Amino acid sequence: MLTKKEKIAYGLGDTASNIIFQTVMLFLTFFYTDIFGISPAIVGTLFLVVRVIDAVTDPLMGSLTDSTRTKYGSYRPYLLWLALPFGVISIITFTTPDLSDTGKVIYAFVTYTLLMLVYTAINIPYSALGGVLSKDPTERVSIQSYRFVFGMLGGLIISSCTMPLVNWLGKGDNALGYQLTMVIMSCLGVALFLICFRFTKERVTAQQNKQLNLKQQMNTLWQNGPFKVLCAASLMLLTSMVLRTTLAIYYVKYVLGEGELVTAFVTIGMIGNILGCACAQPLSKRVDKKTAYIYLQYLSAIISCVAFWLPGEQLIWAFAIYFLWCFVTQMATPLLWAKMADTIDYGQWQNGHRLTGLVYASVVFFIKLGLALGGAIAGWLLAYYGYQANTALSEPTRDGILISFTLFPAIGSILVALIMKRYILDNQTVQQITAELAVKSRI
């Protein structure tokens, strides 16, 4: 049984990760188009191209962490080794040197690629760490609930503090404001990663993975049916979620016509995220994780559609609907991550190999692919509907932003629910597998 202190320490690692993850989701597209001066179509392409690199680095990182053996464990050491590089590259990404248009594009490609590489190198072992803190399936939901509550606290810090800090530190120079804001956020992130390293402990180990090379590990992993379902669901989920959160700023500024309320809007969404994550564990005690996850996706789609028919002058309702969407969507997130640990147990039960790092690396790849697709589609849709930064928009452009912010993410949520119907690891099956593995470990 883990103490609350250790669960909090683990959660603080996701606070650190979300300082970057939520910044990318909420502000990077806007930063590139309205601050750095890159066209939205190029920004969309940028997000997608970097995923090609991730297709190689993610499984390599997962395999590397599984084979790492130190006195600190297999996954914790990377938090110590990479915290500082993660912070430095985050600052560089939000720095805007005086370059030509071509130079800006090259700089954005290089720095965003570096940011995603270091994010991979620290976030995959961090994610895998959650699967080796405990063998108890119920405890895993609790661990992931703590993780995402504290992770969303990082998002709350970003949503509530970024624009005020940009304005205060930049004093009219938004480019400088973003850079100095990221200096503060990155220092905080480094400190939190080190706290996570110091106060957590790995308890689940698997020595046999040394016998498999990367190709053999990938072949073994691909025999895991529930794992493949989670990959597909993660891809679709993040694509629709990031599309909506990326366009939130544009929705408030141009559809609602209340640009000064952007910070309040994304902050209320983050509060919804936190409360939703906190409710995941009580929900999982009463409803099967698979069933709960599917119906939460259907509910998320309904809420997103409601926003489409909401009159633009109904600001209170716009805020309330966005809060409710974030609450429902994020209530499902800890359930998804707890399922990842369940698929690792399933793989060990199926073929005797426990591929913790590789499972998390592969799912994280599909999550990041969804992050890229959501950001890319947002950029492409803005370009398609004729968006021009810092100008008055035509009615068709505003309508396009509204459709992209509401109806398209709803379709994505429905597809996630349909995908998850193929997931076979309900609570009863997971408990049976856990019991059989416990018996084998004593033989």
Side-chain angles (χ1 to χ4, degrees):
M1 181 69 69
L2 275 71
T3 64
K4 286 187 178 180
K5 177 180 178 181
E6 185 170 1
K7 292 177 183 178
I8 290 171
Y10 181 68
L12 289 175
D14 209 40
T15 307
S17 289
N18 263 280
I19 286 174
I20 298 305
F21 184 79
Q22 294 293 339
T23 301
V24 170
M25 286 218 307
L26 292 172
F27 294 107
L28 191 58
T29 299
F30 183 78
F31 172 80
Y32 279 150
T33 59
D34 288 42
I35 306 300
F36 206 17
I38 301 174
S39 77
I42 291 177
V43 172
T45 303
L46 160 65
F47 288 151
L48 196 57
V49 168
V50 173
R51 296 289 78 79
V52 176
I53 300 173
D54 280 335
V56 177
T57 58
D58 281 15
L60 286 176
M61 193 66 207
S63 179
L64 176 62
T65 56
D66 279 335
S67 62
T68 298
R69 298 291 184 270
T70 74
K71 64 181 181 179
Y72 302 121
S74 298
Y75 311 105
R76 288 176 60 237
Y78 291 93
L79 307 182
L80 176 64
W81 299 335
L82 296 174
L84 184 59
F86 184 67
V88 171
I89 294 173
S90 300
I91 296 168
I92 294 173
T93 302
F94 281 86
T95 297
T96 54
D98 185 13
L99 300 171
S100 65
D101 290 344
T102 301
K104 289 180 179 179
V105 173
I106 293 173
Y107 182 87
F109 267 85
V110 171
T111 54
Y112 182 66
T113 299
L114 288 174
L115 180 64
M116 289 297 98
L117 284 175
V118 73
Y119 181 84
T120 293
I122 198 167
N123 192 256
I124 284 175
Y126 169 76
S127 298
L129 177 61
V132 297
L133 295 177
S134 173
K135 295 180 180 180
D136 185 348
T138 303
E139 191 78 350
R140 288 170 179 169
V141 177
S142 177
I143 291 168
Q144 295 301 332
S145 294
Y146 272 84
R147 171 189 176 175
F148 283 99
V149 165
F150 280 91
M152 292 305 161
L153 282 175
L156 181 61
I157 292 170
I158 290 298
S159 63
S160 62
C161 297
T162 296
M163 294 309 297
L165 281 174
V166 167
N167 294 331
W168 180 57
L169 295 172
K171 294 180 172 55
D173 184 348
N174 285 339
L176 177 63
Y178 269 100
Q179 182 187 44
L180 295 179
T181 298
M182 288 311 298
V183 170
I184 295 173
M185 298 299 182
S186 296
C187 290
L188 176 61
V190 170
L192 294 177
F193 270 129
L194 295 179
I195 291 172
C196 180
F197 164 79
R198 172 65 179 81
F199 294 104
T200 55
K201 179 181 179 181
E202 297 182 22
R203 294 176 178 82
V204 182
T205 59
Q207 299 296 328
Q208 79 281 358
N209 292 344
K210 296 179 180 180
Q211 301 171 3
L212 302 178
N213 58 39
L214 179 58
K215 181 178 179 180
Q216 291 170 326
Q217 289 179 355
M218 293 299 294
N219 289 337
T220 300
L221 182 58
W222 205 243
Q223 299 170 18
N224 189 324
F227 157 78
K228 290 189 285 187
V229 172
L230 285 191
C231 288
S234 298
L235 172 62
M236 184 56 61
L237 174 70
L238 266 293
T239 300
S240 59
M241 185 187 300
V242 173
L243 172 62
R244 185 166 168 84
T245 53
T246 297
L247 293 176
I249 295 176
Y250 300 89
Y251 170 74
V252 176
K253 185 175 181 179
Y254 296 106
V255 177
L256 299 181
E258 301 288 347
E260 69 278 4
L261 295 180
V262 166
T263 295
F265 190 79
V266 295
T267 299
I268 201 70
M270 283 299 166
I271 294 173
N273 290 340
I274 293 169
L275 295 177
C277 290
C279 291
Q281 186 183 11
L283 178 66
S284 69
K285 290 181 177 179
R286 294 169 174 82
V287 184
D288 180 85
K289 292 200 294 287
K290 172 186 173 180
T291 302
Y293 193 86
I294 290 173
Y295 281 100
L296 285 171
Q297 294 305 315
Y298 285 137
L299 184 56
S300 177
I302 292 171
I303 295 169
S304 190
C305 286
V306 168
F308 174 74
W309 283 282
L310 185 71
E313 66 274 10
Q314 298 291 332
L315 291 178
I316 294 177
W317 278 106
F319 274 69
I321 290 171
Y322 189 64
F323 169 86
L324 189 58
W325 177 82
C326 290
F327 175 83
V328 170
T329 301
Q330 291 302 327
M331 193 186 301
T333 299
L335 303 180
L336 178 68
W337 283 83
K339 290 184 182 74
M340 293 181 200
D342 294 341
T343 65
I344 294 168
D345 286 348
Y346 177 82
Q348 185 179 6
W349 172 81
Q350 181 185 47
N351 52 48
H353 295 288
R354 189 174 186 86
L355 303 172
T356 302
L358 193 57
V359 166
Y360 279 97
S362 301
V363 177
V364 167
F365 165 72
F366 282 97
I367 287 174
K368 290 196 297 182
L369 181 57
L371 173 65
L373 281 173
I377 292 170
W380 295 335
L381 286 171
L382 288 171
Y384 175 77
Y385 288 116
Y387 172 78
Q388 296 290 330
N390 300 311
T391 62
L393 301 185
S394 66
E395 185 173 346
T397 301
R398 291 196 299 271
D399 290 343
I401 292 173
L402 177 61
I403 292 170
S404 304
F405 178 72
T406 57
L407 299 186
F408 293 162
I411 293 172
S413 294
I414 292 171
L415 292 175
V416 172
L418 295 176
I419 291 168
M420 284 304 298
K421 286 188 174 183
R422 300 177 63 88
Y423 186 77
I424 63 173
L425 298 182
D426 57 22
N427 286 2
Q428 183 178 355
T429 304
V430 169
Q431 290 169 2
Q432 179 182 346
I433 289 172
T434 302
E436 292 184 18
L437 288 177
V439 171
K440 290 180 181 180
S441 67
R442 293 194 293 266
I443 296 177

